[in-house]
Amino acid sequence: MSSPAEPACAGQRVAVIGGGPAGLFAAEHLRTAGLQVDLYEAKGSPGRKFLIAGKGGLNLTHSEPRPQFDARYRERQAEVGHWLDGFDADALRRWAQALGVETYVGSSGRVFPVDRKAAPLLRGWVRRLKEQGVRFHVQHRWSGWHEDGTLRLETSAGAISVTADATVLALGGGSWPQLGSDGSWAGILAAHGVDIAALQPANCGFDIDWSDHFRQRHAGSPLKPVVAHWIDPQGHPRQLQGECIASDYGIEGSLVYALAADLRDILLRDGTAELQLDLVPGREPERLHADLARPRKGRSFGEHLRRAAGLDAAKAALVFEVLGKDAGQDLERVVRTLKRLPLSLQRPRPMAETISTAGGVRLEALTADLMLHALPGVFCAGEMLDWEAPTGGYLLTACYASGQRAAEGVIRRLRG
């Protein structure tokens, strides 16, 4: 990470609220500029959601080139693109390398540490920040401001006051509240005139009313490969190939997360949404019909489906789930279902259990430096801002980039 050309006044102090990636990266950039930095974290240690997110392999960023990378941020691609101009995926990989963490590009284009672990990176990062002089205060929960304008933080010993020349809020969204991101900041900021978009689930699964038979036998089964077909909120037909999981409650997985924003918005608007799955990508309807028309030779239709169409047990069960036990009596209907199996989505999963959330502090409520118009000297970064992106490293990259952007704004303001 490059250092600013001229040092800021060493006596000026910045409070960073939140110990996730955005807060940690803002603290690093501020300290490099010569500012005094105190970081306050509500939990007993920083980066808890970062650690949990890396349990299955830390997806640090993505190798997709820009501007395609920027387009992953949907309606906010222009604004997030400006953040990425200062710190993009390549810069993130170089930053990790400077911490002694080498990365590689997986077959999907996602970027991982070579050991795929989050803990070594986080430990090395926090250690370096402490060595640089960042002061960490854990179990300090921000709860707004005292009447005199000082920051109010709740501790085990009661509320304390903190004075700072500038503040960076990096409080996360509303997912996984047990790890510290509970969205409670929204009401505090709204009471101070900050425009907040309601938090919503993002990168989430969806409820489907499975039969007890399907749920008991096939919950947890992977569905791969499949091609998802859906109509986006603008009425355009869309499709995407990938993998998902038939869960106990409905459907989830990387493919579903990639189109979750569209499906969520349609559900909110219309009260219903349909997702169609091509269970046999690459097989044309004519070939399927010919294969299924062959003699069964005493086999059940379910077994015939598996053999003739190449379905596994879960995919075959989905056909019966949609068409009923007499599915085999109409081959034309079976073929249509195999190529466009309709799933009626009921609702997104609760926000507390989703990977990330949409909504938050509207970017219009901020300057280009991410300072709140309503609260001069208070900057915001990370997932608490009103943007969203699919999984694949895009979330983390924007958190880092926004943390740097907010820190640069602080530095400019304090230098006058």
Side-chain angles (χ1 to χ4, degrees), residues 172-175 199-202 351 354-359 383 385 387-388:
S175 63
L199 295 175
Q200 302 179 75
M351 188 166 62
T354 60
I355 293 174
S356 61
T357 51
E383 197 183 330
L385 301 180
W387 59 274
E388 64 178 312

Side-chain angles (χ1 to χ4, degrees), residues 124-144:
W125 190 7
V126 172
R127 181 172 58 249
R128 187 172 73 180
L129 288 171
K130 289 179 177 179
E131 290 170 353
Q132 291 172 341
V134 174
R135 295 180 289 262
F136 283 79
H137 309 268
V138 297
Q139 295 181 331
H140 283 60
R141 178 177 292 277
W142 178 75
S143 58

Side-chain angles (χ1 to χ4, degrees), residues 137-182:
H137 309 268
V138 297
Q139 295 181 331
H140 283 60
R141 178 177 292 277
W142 178 75
S143 58
W145 291 269
H146 291 280
E147 290 184 4
D148 62 1
T150 57
L151 294 162
R152 178 186 176 94
L153 290 122
E154 308 294 337
T155 73
S156 58
I160 64 170
S161 297
V162 168
T163 301
D165 295 293
T167 301
V168 176
L169 300 178
L171 293 161
S175 63
W176 298 356
Q178 67 274 24
L179 301 179
S181 299
D182 59 9

Side-chain angles (χ1 to χ4, degrees), residues 17-26 39 41 46-50 125 170:
I17 315 295
L24 292 172
F25 202 57
L39 187 145
E41 165 58 40
R48 291 198 171 187
K49 187 175 178 182
F50 182 81
W125 190 7

Side-chain angles (χ1 to χ4, degrees), residues 11 60 83 108 111 184 186-187 206 209 218 312 340 352 394:
L60 195 59
W83 310 344
S108 64
V111 175
S184 59
F206 292 85
D209 188 20
H218 300 289
D312 59 24
R340 290 292 186 95
Y394 305 102

